């Protein structure tokens, strides 16, 4: 893993991010990693519109991710952001009904280049995201990985990685969510002034 570097998604890394997405046909049917962002008229209008929307959000500082690089090529990402930036979660009705506290940051999506899967790159991406969150103020970080119960699962279904990956990173299991996902949390110390927590 020492050969990999992590950089934040931004205007200067957009081209590398775009090449990774384009290599995989827009990812998940042309999503371009916009699913968890706020609903708007542009969503659902096709891959090219999704691409433009994602690039605009990145340029405006409203889309965050840790990009894993092998040399000059981006080979994975871990998307994160505030609940305002990433309001959409799977099984949202259940999530809101059981909500006790909103996190400061959410981790909502992983993607790994097909040539780099099952090589530990997701952990590099997760650690990179947590480091960037710490630099941005830290706080309570929440994610919704799949609880595979130790069974092998196709990488195409693991959009938010696995419970075991988050356990290895020190996250605590909170509760189940949907049929096979769960809510997990970890407090990340700030390396700059902390953000405010949102309580219900």
């Amino acid at each position: 893993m020492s050969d990999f570097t992590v950089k934040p998604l931004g205007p200067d890394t957009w081209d590398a991010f775009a090449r990774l997405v384009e290599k995989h046909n827009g990812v998940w049917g042309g999503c371009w990693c916009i699913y968890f962002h706020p609903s708007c008229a542009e969503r659902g209008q096709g891959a090219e519109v999704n691409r433009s929307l994602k690039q605009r959000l990145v340029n405006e500082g409203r889309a965050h991710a840790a990009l894993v690089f092998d040399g000059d090529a981006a080979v994975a990402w871990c998307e994160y952001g505030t609940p305002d930036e990433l309001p959409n979660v799977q099984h949202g009705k259940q999530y809101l009904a059981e909500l006790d506290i909103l996190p400061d940051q959410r981790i909502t999506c992983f993607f790994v280049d097909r040539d780099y899967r099952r090589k530990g790159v997701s952990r590099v991406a997760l650690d990179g995201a947590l480091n960037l969150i710490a630099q941005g103020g830290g706080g309570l970080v929440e994610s919704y990985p799949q609880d595979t119960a130790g069974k092998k699962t196709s990488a195409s279904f693991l959009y938010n990685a696995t419970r075991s990956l988050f356990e290895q990173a020190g996250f605590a299991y909170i509760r189940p969510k949907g049929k096979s996902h769960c809510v997990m949390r970890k407090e990340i110390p700030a390396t700059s002034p902390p953000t405010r927590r949102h309580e219900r």
Side-chain angles (χ1 to χ4, degrees):
M1 296 299 104
S2 60
D3 292 336
F4 295 110
T5 58
V6 176
K7 301 177 184 178
L9 176 61
D12 57 334
T13 54
W14 169 261
D15 288 344
F17 170 78
R19 284 192 291 271
L20 175 58
V21 180
E22 288 163 354
K23 176 180 177 179
H24 297 82
N25 301 313
V27 177
W28 292 305
C31 174
W32 276 87
C33 204
I34 62 151
Y35 178 85
F36 299 99
H37 287 290
S39 299
C40 64
E42 294 153 289
R43 286 183 53 169
Q45 301 301 310
E48 283 305 310
V49 178
N50 289 346
R51 183 190 195 281
S52 296
L53 173 60
K54 186 70 174 188
Q55 186 170 16
R56 177 166 60 81
L57 292 171
V58 169
N59 289 338
E60 293 173 353
R62 296 193 291 137
H64 296 84
L67 294 182
V68 179
F69 282 80
D70 184 0
D72 293 330
V75 299
W77 75 72
C78 174
E79 179 183 59
Y80 67 91
T82 65
D84 287 339
E85 186 176 299
L86 299 170
N88 295 317
V89 296
Q90 296 275 18
H91 314 106
K93 183 178 286 189
Q94 176 195 357
Y95 176 81
L96 290 174
E98 298 174 349
L99 183 65
D100 55 337
I101 185 171
L102 275 176
D104 298 302
Q105 299 279 338
R106 285 177 169 151
I107 290 174
T108 52
C109 183
F110 288 75
F111 187 80
V112 178
D113 185 308
R114 66 172 71 94
D115 299 323
Y116 287 80
R117 291 174 187 166
R118 304 201 183 278
K119 296 181 180 180
V121 181
S122 291
R123 180 59 192 270
V124 178
L126 175 56
D127 289 346
L130 296 178
N131 287 335
L132 291 171
I133 288 170
Q135 293 169 25
L140 185 66
V141 180
E142 188 173 82
S143 195
Y144 319 102
Q146 186 157 346
D147 192 348
T148 62
K151 298 177 183 177
K152 274 198 169 183
T153 304
S154 170
S156 61
F157 293 103
L158 298 177
Y159 65 87
N160 209 159
T162 63
R163 173 178 173 176
S164 62
L165 177 72
F166 281 86
E167 287 176 337
Q168 292 163 18
F171 277 70
Y173 177 91
I174 304 300
R175 61 179 181 271
K177 182 172 76 68
K179 183 178 179 181
S180 59
H181 288 79
C182 58
V183 178
M184 300 188 75
R185 292 177 183 154
K186 182 178 182 179
E187 190 76 34
I188 299 298
T191 54
S192 63
T195 55
R196 288 185 61 189
R197 181 171 300 170
H198 310 280
E199 298 206 14
R200 192 177 185 189

